[in-house]
Amino acid sequence: MPKAATPLNDTKILALKPKEKRYLIADGEGLYLEIMTSGTKIWRYRYSLNGKQQPLVTIGEYPAVGLKEARKLAVKYTEIVAKGVSPIADAQKDRGFAKSLTTVREFSEHWYQSLIADKSESYRNVTRRVLDKDIYPAIGSKELAEVNAGDILVICDKIKARGSPQAALLTRNIIKRMFEYAISRQVATINPAHQLVARFIATPQSRTRVLSPDELGLMLRKIYASDMARPSKLALHLLVITMVRKSEMIEAEWSEIDFDNGIWRIPAERMKKDKEHWIHLSRQALAMFAELKELSHSQKYVFPMRRGYEDRPISKSTLNAAVRAMDTGVQHFVIHDFRRTASTHLHEMGQSSDAIEKALAHSIKGIKGVYNRAEYADERRKILQLWADFVDAQIETQRKVVIGGFGKTAA
C-alpha cells in the first residue's frame, strides 16, 4: 500500500523553502501544496477519472486560502469526483475564476504566472515581449471565446510584414500554448491557433550558419567589451576554441581538468554519445581555466552560480541570455554555430577530417571509427592549438579592448 501522507500544519508550511524546481508536498486525501521557485505556495487537488490521472486542480494560494479551507474544498472535490465528474468547474467558481479571467489579457497573465514565470529568464522575456508588443494590442481585450483563426492570422501577417517570419511563427506558437492551457482549465473550448499550419507562416531556419573570420573577431571583441561577468566572457571564448557543446562547458567540473597534462576529460554521462571525451587544451584554453580557477568560489564547478547557497553550475540559459542582451554585431547567430564555424574553417585549412570529427566528439563510421580515446591525440592537439591561434588573430584585428594574454608567454 502507498505510504500515507503526513498531514501538514502551518508551522511545517511556513518552513517549506523554494528549490531549483517547483515541488509538491502531500497533505492527504488528494490535497497537495505546491512550492514554486519564487517561494509562492499554491494548494492543488489531485484526482483520477475512469482510472486516468487528471491535471491538477488549483484551489488557491496559501495563506490567502488557509489549511482548513483547503482541506474542506478537497473533501468537496472528492465527493464530486466520486460521481464521475471533474471538479474543475467548481474549483474555478470557488476562486471566482470564470468571472475574472475571460479576456485574452486576463487569462494570458494567469497563464504566464502559472506556467511561464518559473521558466528561464530568456524564455520569460521572449514570451513577455510577444504578449505586450503583438498579442495584447490586437486581441488583449477580446473574450477568449471570440478569438478566431483570422484574428491570429492578422497578427502573424503584420509581424511578417516587418520582415520577421520566425517571430510570427513564435507568436502563433505562444497563442497556441496559451489556448491549450485555457482548454485544460475549461475556460475555452477550441484552440483557434490550431487552424494555422506552421509551414504556411514560416519555414524552419536553416542551421548552416558559419561565422566568417571577421564576424568571429568582431563578436569576441564585443563580448569582452560588454559588461557581462568575466566568467561568462571566458566561457564563450572557451566554447569557440575547445569546440565543445554548451552543456558540456557549463557543467564542467574541476576534477575533469588536468592542468599538468593539458587535458580536459569529460565523463561519458555528460556526453551526448555516452562516451568519455578528451579535449587536448591549447595554451590559451589552459590559461583561461587557470584564471577561472582563481575567480571561482566553487570547489566543484568551473562555472558556478553567482547567487544562492547551493553549489551548482550556471543554468543552461545563462550564456544565451548574456549574448542576447548585447549587440554582438553579428546577425542570425546562435551559440551552437561556434562548433560548425570551427569545423568549417579547420577543414578549409586542410586539417584531417577524422581528427576534426574526433575533436567534435562525432562518431566516425567504419573501421576508422574503432579507436580508443587517445586516437588522433597528436592531430587533435595540433588542430586545437592552430584553431586557438587563428581565433586570437581575428580578435587582434582592430581590437581596442583588453582581453587577456592567454598563453602568450607559454613556451
Side-chain angles (χ1 to χ4, degrees):
M1 293 181 63
K3 184 179 179 181
T6 303
L8 293 169
N9 57 48
D10 288 315
T11 301
K12 290 181 180 178
I13 292 172
L14 292 172
L16 294 171
K17 302 300 181 185
K19 298 180 180 180
E20 182 180 357
K21 295 182 178 180
R22 64 175 84 181
Y23 63 98
L24 291 167
I25 297 293
D27 180 64
E29 303 301 326
L31 180 63
Y32 289 79
L33 188 64
E34 185 168 15
I35 292 79
M36 315 299 281
T37 58
S38 62
T40 299
K41 298 167 184 175
I42 301 175
W43 293 112
R44 313 282 194 192
Y45 176 72
R46 174 173 283 170
Y47 70 105
S48 297
L49 276 179
N50 302 317
K52 185 177 180 181
Q53 187 165 296
Q54 304 297 312
L56 292 172
V57 174
T58 298
I59 293 177
E61 185 176 329
Y62 179 88
V65 176
L67 178 58
K68 289 183 179 179
E69 184 181 357
R71 285 173 175 167
K72 182 179 178 181
L73 289 170
V75 170
K76 172 184 174 182
Y77 302 150
T78 299
E79 293 172 352
I80 294 172
V81 171
K83 298 175 184 177
V85 179
S86 168
I88 288 178
D90 283 76
Q92 291 172 353
K93 290 178 182 177
D94 291 337
R95 302 196 313 273
F97 191 90
K99 294 180 181 178
S100 62
L101 299 175
T102 60
T103 68
V104 171
R105 181 187 294 271
E106 290 165 344
F107 188 81
S108 293
E109 287 301 312
H110 166 74
W111 166 71
Y112 184 92
Q113 293 302 323
S114 299
L115 296 187
I116 309 302
D118 291 322
K119 302 293 185 183
S120 68
E121 181 180 4
S122 59
Y123 190 87
R124 295 196 311 269
N125 290 343
V126 168
T127 304
R128 170 54 64 192
R129 183 170 64 250
V130 169
L131 288 170
D132 292 341
K133 182 178 181 181
D134 294 304
I135 296 175
Y136 290 165
I139 59 173
S141 60
K142 271 198 147 188
E143 296 289 312
L144 285 168
E146 295 176 357
V147 178
N148 56 49
D151 295 324
I152 302 170
L153 184 60
V154 169
I155 296 173
C156 292
D157 285 345
K158 185 176 180 180
I159 298 171
K160 288 171 69 175
R162 301 199 301 253
S164 304
Q166 293 298 324
L169 181 57
L170 172 65
T171 301
R172 173 263 193 187
N173 291 342
I174 287 175
I175 296 173
K176 180 172 175 284
R177 288 193 290 270
M178 185 274 290
F179 267 96
E180 286 172 351
Y181 184 67
I183 291 171
S184 75
R185 295 303 180 188
Q186 298 185 355
V187 179
T189 57
I190 62 170
N191 190 333
H194 269 310
Q195 300 175 43
L196 301 183
V197 181
R199 68 177 182 274
F200 295 147
I201 298 174
T203 55
Q205 286 181 309
S206 172
R207 297 286 2 117
T208 58
R209 183 72 163 97
V210 173
L211 276 67
S212 70
D214 287 344
E215 287 178 324
L216 195 56
L218 173 62
M219 173 171 287
L220 284 166
R221 288 195 299 273
K222 291 272 190 177
I223 287 170
Y224 278 106
S226 73
D227 59 359
M228 76 173 67
R230 180 70 176 179
S232 293
K233 295 177 181 180
L234 296 178
L236 290 166
H237 196 159
L238 280 166
L239 276 173
V240 176
I241 64 175
T242 60
M243 300 162 60
V244 300
R245 298 176 180 88
K246 184 183 66 174
S247 61
E248 296 157 6
M249 178 64 69
I250 64 177
E251 295 173 1
E253 299 184 14
W254 288 119
S255 60
E256 300 168 2
I257 310 298
D258 181 347
F259 283 96
D260 292 334
N261 294 299
I263 297 174
W264 174 12
R265 299 178 177 88
I266 306 179
E269 59 267 24
R270 291 212 303 107
M271 292 300 299
K272 187 175 180 179
K273 301 290 185 181
D274 294 323
K275 183 178 179 181
E276 185 180 55
H277 181 54
W278 289 19
I279 295 102
H280 298 271
L281 299 171
S282 62
R283 294 189 302 273
Q284 292 90 330
L286 272 172
M288 291 179 202
F289 276 118
E291 181 179 343
L292 285 163
K293 186 71 172 175
E294 293 180 3
L295 294 172
S296 180
H297 60 268
S298 171
Q299 297 299 310
K300 183 176 182 180
Y301 294 108
V302 177
F303 300 99
M305 290 197 68
R306 298 173 63 192
R307 298 181 180 85
Y309 56 87
E310 293 185 82
D311 189 10
R312 53 192 175 94
I314 57 176
S315 70
K316 294 180 180 179
S317 63
T318 298
L319 297 181
N320 297 76
V323 171
R324 197 174 289 117
M326 60 174 284
D327 176 17
T328 62
V330 178
Q331 298 297 314
H332 311 300
F333 160 82
V334 295
I335 286 177
H336 191 73
D337 294 335
F338 282 148
R339 283 166 56 84
R340 189 182 304 103
T341 296
S343 175
T344 299
H345 290 299
L346 284 168
H347 275 101
E348 289 177 352
M349 294 176 197
Q351 300 304 304
S352 163
S353 180
D354 288 343
I356 294 171
E357 292 302 298
K358 285 288 186 181
L360 289 164
H362 286 167
S363 298
I364 298 176
K365 296 181 180 180
I367 190 65
K368 290 194 299 182
V370 187
Y371 292 112
N372 61 37
R373 60 175 170 258
E375 188 61 33
Y376 299 111
D378 290 338
E379 286 187 85
R380 287 162 63 183
R381 185 177 292 107
K382 182 187 75 172
I383 65 172
L384 283 172
Q385 186 59 60
L386 175 67
W387 177 239
D389 291 341
F390 177 85
V391 172
D392 266 0
Q394 311 319 308
I395 298 173
E396 291 293 334
T397 303
Q398 301 179 356
R399 87 170 170 87
K400 299 177 182 178
V401 58
V402 176
I403 292 171
F406 304 117
K408 297 293 179 62
T409 58

